[in-house]
Amino acid sequence: MNQTKLRGNPIKLHGTVPGAGTKASDFTYVREDLSEKKLYDHGSKIKVLIAVPSLDTGICQIETRRFNKELSNKANAVGIVISKDLPFAMKRFCAAEGLENIEIASDFRGNFSTTYKTLMEEGPMKGLSARVVFVVDGNNTIRYAEIVEDITHEPNYKAVMDAVDAI
């Protein structure tokens, strides 16, 4: 699929978002200390990639809090929240909320949204990532992918966690 919606209006994405069964491409992101990290640095852990437009929006904040809670008892899984926000802003939000079970991943100089084709190419949020969730197994194969139909909606948390539990 290569589109999402914003309040019902179609928004074209950068390309076709990879689906389940696809090899997860490595990508680079920026951490809170401005160092860079890659997806594959997480080794054989299950990776939940949580792409959001911006942690300055209410739905993104709700989603981040929820995944922090859902992943709190998953020792072999890491939640990675990815947005174009600067790492300072992401860190500030997570610290204020006490979110410690997820990792922030700023895409401001990374390549996630272009590699995974989540970049919105039109509309008022052009240049930001669509709301997309991937579950990647220890062999870096995508086991679950969800492009949230409208970026003003939350993802299907149960389906995501069922995919994590199935690995």
Side-chain angles (χ1 to χ4, degrees):
M1 181 182 226
N2 64 352
Q3 80 168 25
T4 189
K5 293 178 183 173
L6 174 61
R7 294 185 187 91
N9 298 308
I11 302 289
K12 182 180 174 187
L13 301 181
H14 184 66
T16 301
V17 172
T22 306
K23 180 74 171 172
S25 297
D26 203 7
F27 64 90
T28 301
Y29 59 91
V30 182
R31 300 171 58 168
E32 60 190 49
D33 64 359
L34 296 179
S35 65
E36 292 184 354
K37 192 167 183 175
K38 293 180 174 275
L39 174 68
Y40 288 5
D41 292 341
H42 291 284
S44 63
K45 282 193 167 204
I46 298 167
K47 281 88 59 186
V48 181
L49 309 180
I50 307 154
V52 299
S54 174
L55 287 179
D56 279 333
T57 66
I59 299 298
C60 297
Q61 293 173 358
I62 290 167
E63 181 179 358
T64 302
R65 285 184 203 107
R66 176 76 180 265
F67 277 118
N68 181 74
K69 180 181 176 186
E70 295 284 346
L71 293 166
S72 66
N73 63 350
K74 307 290 182 192
N76 195 35
V78 59
I80 305 170
V81 176
I82 308 158
S83 79
K84 291 277 188 177
D85 293 319
L86 291 176
F88 315 115
M90 296 178 81
K91 176 183 177 181
R92 190 170 43 251
F93 169 74
C94 290
E97 295 289 327
L99 307 181
E100 297 178 349
N101 300 314
I102 54 166
E103 183 173 328
I104 61 166
S106 176
D107 197 30
F108 90 100
R109 70 169 188 240
N111 63 341
F112 172 82
S113 59
T114 54
T115 300
Y116 282 73
K117 312 302 183 197
T118 66
L119 187 72
M120 292 184 279
E121 291 193 328
E122 58 190 12
M125 297 186 87
K126 177 181 178 180
L128 298 178
S129 178
R131 189 176 312 285
V132 182
V133 181
F134 299 95
V135 176
V136 178
D137 69 18
N139 295 316
N140 293 314
T141 298
I142 297 171
R143 300 284 291 274
Y144 176 86
E146 177 188 358
I147 303 169
V148 178
E149 180 183 1
D150 191 301
I151 64 170
T152 62
H153 301 161
E154 295 174 66
N156 184 336
Y157 299 109
K158 181 178 180 339
V160 173
M161 297 314 296
D162 286 350
V164 169
D165 291 340
I167 299 173

